Amino acid sequence: MSKIDTVKKAGARFYVNDSRPNVTVPGVTSVVGMLPKQDFLGPWQANMAADLAIDSFDYLRQMADRDRAGAKRYIAGAARRYTEVRSKLGSRAHDVFERLMNGEEVDYVHPDIVNHVRHFQEFLAAVNPELVRAEDVAWSYEHEYAGSFDAILRIWVQVDTFGRITITPDRSGTPILVMVDYKTSKSTYTDVALQLAAYRYADVIIDEDGNEEPMPAIDSAAVLHITDEEWSFKGVRADRDVFDYFVTLRKVFRWVREDSKDVIGKALASSKGRMVTGTQRRGK
């Protein structure tokens, strides 16, 4: 049996299989990170810094008097700190979601995620899914990537003649396997389709003990979006066409990280090696 570890290299996450210690493959989220940054990110980061400066004007002026460079770093880091806080909240929520899905009793819930947990319990009551796998690693030997998915759930549905799907929580409908991603961000974004397609079409699943088995045939994909105010369970198109886009991003990742490093050779001629004339040597 082989176990999986992760390492960070230059801001990207890589997965390592201890049976192949010299082989590392990028994580799904790092590959998806090859997408162009959204247009709203720049203005959002600027607004976060501006809000901090306005709301903490007196404090920042005192800080700048003592350490101007430190004050600049503090203002510039406003968006990053917010993202880190949201990431911690998401990690706490995911941990409790997994425990509840496994039927565990959760004695303590952090105050920041009380509503998230309540909404997750509402989801369980409304959908009544069966947990098939959770938090295991999807690994692709063919395309060389890996990633930890949130859950594979079995849910029961009815499909009418127009193709409209209705969940049957009493499990009277047809069972289907769904690759599910949990999101606690303010919105859901289209890149979740790329993530889910990558997990869905990976070659194998590797559990925490290193046991490996083929990825089962997944029928569909969905995102469970839970915020402090509400929850929704949305179907996601994560089919072969979407997977092809992910594979393209995997090639882009290889280009950025590996193949682009040696495409420009040494100078065959340059101003540093220009000819020196006899006149120049004689100083005339």
Side-chain angles (χ1 to χ4, degrees), residues 207-226:
D207 67 19
E208 61 180 352
D209 296 320
N211 299 304
E212 180 177 310
E213 62 182 67
M215 177 67 70
I218 303 295
D219 299 301
S220 189
V223 57
L224 175 57
H225 184 217
I226 296 182

Side-chain angles (χ1 to χ4, degrees), residues 122-247:
E122 291 176 3
F123 158 75
L124 293 179
V127 177
N128 193 19
E130 176 189 330
L131 177 64
V132 178
R133 304 292 293 253
E135 298 294 340
D136 287 329
V137 172
W139 192 291
S140 173
Y141 292 113
E142 179 180 2
H143 298 290
E144 299 182 332
Y145 69 83
S148 179
F149 58 85
D150 288 334
I152 298 175
L153 304 180
R154 181 175 287 109
I155 65 173
W156 283 258
V157 301
Q158 289 180 345
V159 183
D160 65 19
T161 55
F162 298 99
R164 292 175 299 206
I165 297 174
T166 301
I167 294 174
T168 56
D170 62 357
R171 300 186 175 181
S172 60
T174 301
I176 61 172
L177 280 187
V178 184
M179 183 70 74
V180 179
D181 196 65
Y182 306 146
K183 295 296 185 188
T184 57
S185 51
K186 288 187 176 181
S187 301
T188 52
Y189 303 98
T190 54
D191 59 3
V192 71
L194 295 164
Q195 284 181 262
L196 288 167
Y199 301 143
R200 177 179 183 177
Y201 294 110
D203 298 318
V204 299
I205 294 176
I206 305 175
D207 67 19
E208 61 180 352
D209 296 320
N211 299 304
E212 180 177 310
E213 62 182 67
M215 177 67 70
I218 303 295
D219 299 301
S220 189
V223 57
L224 175 57
H225 184 217
I226 296 182
T227 69
D228 197 52
E229 294 81 22
E230 59 186 356
W231 69 273
S232 60
F233 188 55
K234 307 173 185 177
V236 175
R237 183 169 68 84
D239 55 18
R240 283 286 182 182
D241 288 339
V242 175
F243 181 62
D244 285 344
Y245 287 111
F246 176 82
V247 171

